[in-house]
Amino acid sequence: MTATFNPPIRTLMGPGPSDVSPRVLQALSRPIIGHLDPEFIRMMDELKALLQYAFQTGNQLTLPVSAPGSAGMETVFVNLLEPGDKVVVCQNGVFGGRMKENVERCGAEAIMVSDDWGRPVDVDEVRRVLAANPAAKALAFVHAETSTGARSDVQALTGLANDHHCLSIVDSVTGLGGIELRVDEWGIDAIYSGSQKCLSCVPGLSPVSFSERAAEVIRNRSQRVQSWFLDLNLVMAYWGSGEKRSYHHTAPVNSLYALHEALVILQEEGLEQSWARHRHNHLAFAAGIEAMGLSFVVSEDYRLPQLNAVTVPENVDEAVVRARLLADYGLEIGAGLGTLAGKVWRIGLMGFASNRKNVLLCLAALDEVLSDLGARIERGAAVTAAQHFYRDH
Ligand SMILES: *Cc1c(COP(=O)(O)O)cnc(C)c1O
């Protein structure tokens, strides 16, 4: 007989999923009720308001898609695009490349703006490309590029989209809850996120939000959305407002309790306070990393506090280090992706995992494992530097 699966206890400091509060795990184990139960519908209305707070938006079309961030991405593209549309897509890492895939699979054309990995999207280049492509329907870019740890200037880019009368599409899967994001004030038309990064909920849900202008585009399509499951015109029969909700698909009831709880926790802390906490812990971590003699891939002015891409020192096998951290410390950090594979570690300080204990654990563990493998680092300096940062700030 197969025994019950009991996962080990880990500290999750990779690119997601991040550690989850015990309150979120408790929420998952609450009794299941029907997805059309009036009490469940009341919870859904609260969840929508909590998401509007997290996104800083009054958008009516705000809901969690019943699938991971990738499905949120797909929801945005399949609902807004029709065959023959042109979209300017910015790529400065893995996820911009996935946007291109989505655009092309919708039968639309992706006009690419490519930047080096580790750099933010080049605003001047986007300005030139939009000017050269007046028929572009949308500008799509990633707010927080999880593959490199670079933050792009959302406000500057949505400003350009507005100047050129095209829609702005923003991937903030890793941004939401961790760094400043103001959907209405910044004029974002369509945005998707994920539950398992800075919101510190279980994976499998993707909050999305659409401006009234984007909602109009969806309502006035000339062709049906090719995906039945992700067609928001149908999904809204369930997630729309008012008493009357009808069945579209069975909502992931307990996962939605968990997202509700994660967002209640965010609201209790306060959005600005959460952004500040992510920054504070990042600065302590960075002080330690630099004291050890390691360096960051991304320069300080556009570095994400929640995703730290740290360069692997010479003559060190990065996979061996990750395996040791997992085996000896129960600590998970991420490997590099794409062009950065083998060259960097991606160390997350996301949501519930962004705390002093994790910063100090990770620095101490890296110090020990790297020293043991003979890497040339400043032994013992990292933890002290981070502790000094916490003492002084
Ligand atoms: C994680 C991530 C995604 C995909 O989310 P999944 O939940 O893994 O499907 C998309 N974009 C970015 C920037 C991400 O970090």
Side-chain angles (χ1 to χ4, degrees), residues 68-70 73 95 142 144 146 171 173-174 196-197:
S70 305
M73 179 186 285
F95 293 100
V142 179
T146 323
D171 175 328
V173 174
T174 289
Q196 80 278 26
K197 310 230 174 158

Side-chain angles (χ1 to χ4, degrees), residues 6-277:
N6 277 308
I9 305 284
R10 304 278 197 222
T11 299
L12 298 181
M13 295 180 70
S18 59
D19 279 334
V20 165
S21 161
R23 284 174 59 181
V24 170
L25 293 179
Q26 274 160 16
L28 276 170
S29 66
R30 294 200 180 117
I32 188 160
I33 59 177
H35 67 118
L36 291 167
D37 187 307
E39 272 303 293
F40 192 72
I41 288 172
R42 188 177 67 73
M43 193 282 300
M44 287 167 67
D45 287 339
E46 288 182 4
L47 184 49
K48 185 165 159 184
L50 288 163
L51 280 177
Q52 287 170 329
Y53 168 69
F55 277 129
Q56 293 287 287
T57 184
N59 287 343
Q60 278 310 305
L61 189 48
T62 299
L63 68 142
V65 174
S66 303
S70 305
M73 179 186 285
E74 191 136 354
T75 298
V76 167
F77 287 102
V78 299
N79 279 277
L80 289 176
L81 300 187
E82 299 199 46
D85 285 341
K86 286 182 167 45
V87 182
V88 175
V89 175
C90 307
Q91 180 170 12
N92 60 338
V94 167
F95 293 100
R98 291 195 179 174
M99 285 180 148
K100 175 177 191 273
E101 273 277 316
N102 271 271
V103 167
E104 290 172 351
R105 285 171 190 239
C106 291
E109 184 191 339
I111 302 156
M112 299 305 292
V113 174
S114 298
D115 283 290
D116 288 342
W117 288 42
R119 302 270 314 162
V121 171
D122 182 342
V123 174
D124 292 327
E125 184 59 19
V126 170
R127 186 180 294 112
R128 276 191 289 278
V129 171
L130 282 174
N133 292 279
K137 182 181 192 175
L139 168 69
F141 59 91
V142 179
H143 179 203
E145 188 36 272
T146 323
S147 61
T148 68
R151 173 180 52 79
S152 287
D153 187 342
V154 175
Q155 221 174 347
L157 293 167
T158 53
L160 288 178
N162 286 325
D163 292 348
H164 286 86
H165 307 288
C166 65
L167 298 166
S168 52
I169 295 176
V170 181
D171 175 328
S172 196
V173 174
T174 289
L176 184 66
I179 47 173
E180 187 177 15
L181 172 65
R182 301 180 190 276
V183 168
D184 287 359
E185 201 182 309
W186 292 356
I188 296 170
D189 287 303
I191 187 163
Y192 55 92
S193 188
S195 49
Q196 80 278 26
K197 310 230 174 158
C198 294
L199 297 181
S200 275
C201 181
V202 290
L205 292 169
S206 176
V208 297
S209 186
F210 295 83
S211 69
E212 190 41 46
R213 180 162 71 154
E216 269 301 302
V217 168
I218 298 172
R219 280 192 291 269
N220 297 324
R221 290 176 60 93
S222 53
Q223 297 188 15
R224 291 193 303 185
V225 172
Q226 73 265 27
S227 162
W228 177 86
F229 182 65
L230 299 176
D231 183 347
L232 288 172
N233 289 306
L234 305 178
V235 172
M236 287 312 282
Y238 181 58
W239 271 103
S241 43
E243 294 290 291
K244 219 184 121 24
R245 309 287 174 99
S246 54
Y247 170 66
H248 174 258
H249 63 276
T250 309
V253 171
N254 294 53
S255 292
L256 290 171
Y257 300 160
L259 183 61
H260 183 278
E261 188 65 12
L263 291 166
V264 165
I265 293 170
L266 179 65
Q267 194 186 46
E268 284 171 3
E269 179 178 22
L271 198 53
E272 273 93 356
Q273 286 78 2
S274 176
W275 300 337
R277 172 172 52 83

Side-chain angles (χ1 to χ4, degrees), residues 307-327:
L307 195 286
N308 298 270
V310 173
T311 307
V312 176
E314 269 173 48
N315 305 321
V316 169
D317 181 342
E318 71 82 22
V320 171
V321 175
R322 282 186 296 111
R324 284 274 304 267
L325 293 176
L326 195 66

